[in-house]
Amino acid sequence: MNWNTESSGFAFEWSISDDSARLESKADGKVIWRGSLLPSLVLLTGAGEKVFVKSRATGGSLDDSGGEIALDWEGFGIGALAFAPAGPGLRFSRLSIEWADAPPKIHSAYFGAVHPSGALRRDEPFWPGWQADGICVPSAKGAPPQSFFRFWDLGQAHMALGSFGPTGTPYAAAFPRPIYAAGLGSGSGWLVAGPGQIPASALYLQVVAGASCLHYLHREDLWGSPAGTRREWAEPLRLSWASTAWEAYRRHFSTFDIGQADASHQRSSWNSWSEYRQGIYENERLVRTVTEAVQPEIFTFDDGWETGNSSGRIRRDRFPNFEDDLELVRSLGMDVGLWQAVGWIEDPAAEGLGPEDLLCGTDGTPCLANWLCSPNLPGRYVLDPSSQKTREFIRQKTRRLVKTFGAKLLKLDFGYGAPSLESAAPRDPSMRGERLASTLYGLMSEAARECDPSITLQGWGLSPLQRPAFNLIAMDDLGDCGAEEGGGHRHWSVWAALIGDQGMGILASSGYDWKQDADVILDTAVLGAPGAVLSMKDDAGNIAYRGLAKRRAIHRWFRRTVKWAPLWLNSEIGQIDRQPLVKCWGRLEPSPAGEVLTALALRDGEDKLADRSALRGMDWVGRWAILSQDSEDLFFSGEVACIPFDEGTLHFPCQSPPREIIGVTGDSEAAETGWKWSDGFLSLDSTSRKEGFTGFLIRR
């Protein structure tokens, strides 16, 4: 049996009889990826021995629209795998097994694993079989971030694609994970593979000596399996391909129908975490200073305001007047945001919860978890949503946050801080693995929306599979980028552009270092809403910092739409030999007349765009952010904001002299007189400006 298809310049060939597939570029004839696609299992026998079982095709019904393959599982049972083409790719819609005898315990399931051949493995009875020149998992390594790897770079690696365990970062980091997918390819093209639903297993890309496979960890030998002799998995795998990894991820994510978020959730915000992490709990001073400095729309009180994770009760020794702090935020024209740990709880007994309501080990003892996945750090208990009492506790606590404290935003954190399936699992099999976090997120989101349908739910990660719980995606605090915060944000910005394609609001966030904040703000002009976890005290203890002028500018002028696509210009979107990095780039938004350019981030020096024909000959010295203030293209907009980040000049295409140009410094506006217009270009000069100069407004 063979099944072949061609799409978007690629040829996919699958010999189903011997389970050998390949993806080839039609442009240069090179094979991008090769490997097996029929699923396999590692089962536990009654004696506790691991047995690797590879499915084999025994027949089926196939045509150009896909079909269903009959499977034999080496005597353990029979089943079927249904698939169909989906855009430039494949969609495996259903996998089933009918066990021949008493159902065995599934340790793990795989796509891409094969029986060992040649080299032998003593640790596992199988061998990863997918082969490609390179691997792409967005920001799998941190400090500095790295997303692309040669096939031999990783040695033996278990790369977390969801919520479980360390990879190149100390934990299954928030942004840009969870992604529930991985990329394989080369300079000739890329294939992205991942499930079409959040799996009830922990999801990894397993790499051994340059070969890889998708690993779905179940550990039913520890936690039991569903009843019945039939097992079925919906949407176990989707494949998408394109010429670049970024485009392959975009196509993969576009196969999920998630709808578009309400743009009202994309609002500027400030978060207290940088000060709280330093032990600074001066809420009144911080709120007033932030309001005066940048005037955000939301002020979020982060981890530290509660008596303990998930209590939802004020820690009075730190915040004796917390209600006054909340009222101060509202009186200054901002909405209140509150941080919440998802799943973690420090004192379950105080909430009337016992071991039966928590994740426990095989001995029934509640497990502890922490962000580093380390037994050397203090841990928290983890809620088991299998328990009705736990679910009701989550609902009641969330309602209290919204009704009593008036929260208009909930920052939902640490869905990725649960124990491994090697240690604990929910009692309900349907809530295990990656579904643990999505279940907890869903419970909180549903309860919050019941109280306030307009509430903003802030989450993390690139995958649209988790979007039902969220309407705002944050880029985290750049902690994983270490001392490379500016470069890290430029790296992350490439992947964050995938969220714009999904029609979700983006909170561009910040790092902790004011000295590197300019790059963050510059790219926020393209990404969406400004957010920050910066301390309002610098190393010398001073509150004022000149970089605030640029943050104030972006708070005033950022784009509030949520559907857009990147104009890459000279930016690097990544390949095996180079990592993603935005340089000069822009924001394209849909309009009745087609795409319009509504924002630009422009860099100078070695990052300057050489060929500026795409920008109608625009030229500049220094770094600039340029944003349309209406729905029109920058070159025809009735009002355009131009934010200089250095002393320099901007020569902006302008068909006729503008009606007026306003210079903005802080809250004051004044007519500009030093501008020039000649031969279709407007010239602006940002040299010798007063401290705190915000930018120019061009009005046509």
Side-chain angles (χ1 to χ4, degrees):
M1 288 190 297
N2 297 314
W3 193 86
N4 305 323
T5 187
E6 291 190 12
S7 59
S8 299
F10 296 91
F12 176 84
E13 302 174 358
W14 186 11
S15 174
I16 299 174
S17 299
D18 60 9
D19 192 20
S20 175
R22 54 187 269 163
L23 181 67
E24 179 181 302
S25 167
K26 299 291 288 182
D28 58 17
K30 292 184 178 180
V31 176
I32 296 163
W33 165 93
R34 68 174 75 240
S36 68
L37 283 175
L38 295 182
S40 54
L41 301 170
V42 170
L43 305 176
L44 272 295
T45 66
E49 180 185 0
K50 285 183 178 180
V51 178
F52 179 72
V53 180
K54 183 78 166 71
S55 64
R56 178 178 61 87
T58 59
S61 174
L62 306 177
D63 56 30
D64 290 344
S65 63
E68 183 170 283
I69 304 167
L71 301 176
D72 174 77
W73 289 89
E74 298 187 9
F76 283 88
I78 59 173
L81 179 66
F83 74 98
L90 292 182
R91 181 174 178 173
F92 292 70
S93 59
R94 180 176 52 83
L95 169 65
S96 65
I97 302 175
E98 193 74 41
W99 300 113
D101 297 309
K105 305 297 185 184
I106 298 175
H107 180 285
S108 296
Y110 298 88
F111 279 98
V114 296
H115 282 285
S117 176
L120 297 178
R121 296 186 65 191
R122 295 183 180 273
D123 57 330
E124 294 288 356
F126 69 92
W127 193 267
W130 286 353
Q131 298 178 48
D133 287 351
I135 293 170
C136 175
V137 176
S139 197
K141 179 185 176 298
Q146 188 174 351
S147 298
F148 287 86
F149 309 87
R150 297 169 298 178
F151 72 86
W152 64 81
D153 284 341
L154 296 168
Q156 297 195 38
H158 220 197
M159 304 181 74
L161 303 179
S163 302
F164 291 92
T167 304
T169 51
Y171 55 99
F175 189 85
R177 283 176 283 176
I179 54 173
Y180 306 129
L184 302 162
S186 68
S188 298
W190 287 83
L191 175 144
V192 165
Q197 291 186 5
I198 297 177
S201 56
L203 182 63
Y204 303 91
L205 179 70
Q206 187 159 351
V207 183
V208 180
S212 61
C213 62
L214 284 182
H215 177 197
Y216 300 72
L217 180 66
H218 288 270
R219 290 311 307 260
E220 291 177 359
D221 54 313
L222 297 176
W223 315 116
S225 55
T229 60
R230 180 180 174 84
R231 293 294 298 274
E232 189 166 305
W233 292 267
E235 301 286 347
L237 182 67
R238 293 185 186 182
L239 306 177
S240 302
W241 49 76
S243 58
T244 66
W246 191 92
E247 181 62 21
Y249 271 106
R250 188 198 69 79
R251 287 180 174 176
H252 180 72
F253 291 154
S254 70
T255 66
F256 304 99
D257 183 14
I258 60 167
Q260 184 168 314
D262 191 323
S264 64
H265 298 289
Q266 183 160 279
R267 296 189 291 163
S268 59
S269 76
W270 200 278
N271 184 291
S272 67
W273 172 239
S274 187
E275 300 221 341
Y276 285 8
R277 68 192 277 267
Q278 301 175 73
I280 304 172
Y281 301 110
E282 303 167 3
N283 277 345
E284 182 178 355
R285 187 268 309 163
L286 178 61
V287 170
R288 291 189 183 278
T289 304
V290 166
T291 305
E292 181 181 354
V294 294
Q295 300 170 339
E297 294 161 288
I298 303 171
F299 187 96
T300 298
F301 297 90
D302 210 279
D303 182 14
W305 72 270
E306 300 170 286
T307 55
N309 291 156
S310 290
S311 76
R313 295 183 176 86
I314 302 164
R315 183 167 175 174
R316 293 293 180 184
D317 61 327
R318 287 179 177 169
F319 307 111
N321 302 307
F322 193 66
E323 291 90 348
D324 293 339
D325 297 334
L326 301 180
E327 186 54 40
L328 175 62
V329 168
R330 287 187 280 263
S331 70
L332 292 171
M334 297 177 288
D335 282 334
V336 169
L338 292 175
W339 179 90
Q340 279 292 284
V342 175
W344 287 2
I345 184 167
E346 292 188 35
D347 189 358
E351 310 302 334
L353 302 175
E356 66 277 7
D357 308 306
L358 307 172
L359 294 189
C360 296
T362 53
D363 62 356
T365 301
C367 284
L368 298 176
N370 57 58
W371 67 274
L372 194 57
C373 309
S374 169
N376 299 319
L377 289 182
R380 282 85 164 178
Y381 298 101
V382 183
L383 296 167
D384 183 355
S386 308
S387 159
Q388 176 60 36
K389 187 185 288 186
T390 291
R391 295 196 298 274
E392 189 57 28
F393 162 72
I394 292 171
R395 292 189 188 100
Q396 292 299 332
K397 179 201 64 171
T398 305
R399 290 169 185 150
R400 187 167 67 249
L401 297 175
V402 179
K403 289 184 175 181
T404 303
F405 298 121
K408 289 291 186 178
L409 176 145
L410 293 181
K411 174 185 172 182
L412 304 183
D413 202 357
F414 284 117
Y416 48 87
S420 164
L421 281 174
E422 306 283 359
S423 303
R427 293 162 177 83
D428 183 339
S430 70
M431 298 178 181
R432 290 178 187 164
E434 305 299 345
R435 290 188 188 169
L436 172 61
S438 64
T439 300
L440 293 166
Y441 286 138
L443 286 168
M444 295 192 71
S445 298
E446 181 181 6
R449 287 167 174 153
E450 286 174 357
C451 297
D452 181 358
S454 68
I455 194 168
T456 297
L457 286 310
Q458 175 184 321
W460 322 93
L462 292 174
S463 175
L465 285 173
Q466 59 174 348
R467 292 300 184 266
F470 303 118
N471 40 40
L472 178 68
I473 302 302
M475 290 175 64
D476 210 351
D477 57 10
L478 296 172
D480 288 339
C481 300
E484 304 285 340
E485 289 183 355
H489 197 271
R490 292 173 66 180
H491 183 124
W492 281 5
S493 293
V494 171
W495 299 116
L498 290 167
I499 301 169
D501 184 73
Q502 297 170 24
M504 293 293 295
I506 300 176
L507 190 65
S509 196
S510 79
Y512 301 122
D513 185 358
W514 276 105
K515 296 176 183 176
Q516 299 189 58
D517 194 49
D519 273 318
V520 174
I521 287 297
L522 181 59
D523 293 318
T524 299
V526 175
L527 289 169
V533 292
L534 289 156
S535 174
M536 292 305 291
K537 287 187 175 181
D538 63 19
D539 294 339
N542 301 316
I543 291 176
Y545 181 75
R546 67 178 304 172
L548 282 171
K550 307 314 169 195
R551 279 209 162 262
R552 171 167 267 187
I554 211 71
H555 276 250
R556 176 172 175 168
W557 292 320
F558 73 91
R559 298 294 301 170
R560 294 177 178 273
T561 51
V562 294
K563 182 69 175 178
W564 60 280
L567 174 65
W568 292 122
L569 297 174
N570 65 337
S571 295
E572 298 280 359
I573 61 172
Q575 193 50 269
I576 295 175
D577 59 349
R578 54 192 181 276
Q579 297 300 320
L581 188 72
V582 291
K583 297 179 180 179
C584 297
W585 66 309
R587 178 184 179 104
L588 297 169
E589 297 180 15
S591 77
E595 289 185 323
V596 293
L597 179 64
T598 59
L600 283 170
L602 303 175
R603 288 179 165 87
D604 205 348
E606 64 180 12
D607 292 328
K608 188 171 182 177
L609 179 65
D611 180 2
R612 296 183 290 282
S613 58
L615 302 182
R616 304 178 180 229
M618 185 188 306
D619 197 10
W620 62 91
V621 174
R623 294 169 296 174
W624 292 79
I626 306 175
L627 300 103
S628 172
Q629 295 302 289
D630 52 33
S631 60
E632 299 299 321
D633 189 282
L634 283 173
F635 302 116
F636 303 100
S637 171
E639 186 168 274
V640 178
C642 302
I643 308 169
F645 284 70
D646 312 286
E647 291 194 347
T649 55
L650 175 67
H651 300 286
F652 184 76
C654 192
Q655 292 180 334
S656 58
R659 174 169 54 88
E660 65 175 343
I661 296 180
I662 301 296
V664 181
T665 302
D667 291 326
S668 65
E669 298 183 0
E672 283 286 322
T673 58
W675 56 274
K676 299 178 181 178
W677 182 89
S678 177
D679 297 328
F681 281 87
L682 170 67
S683 297
L684 300 174
D685 191 334
S686 67
T687 58
S688 303
R689 294 287 172 174
K690 292 181 180 179
E691 177 119 354
F693 180 69
T694 307
F696 303 94
L697 270 178
I698 303 171
R699 290 173 176 160
R700 291 186 173 94

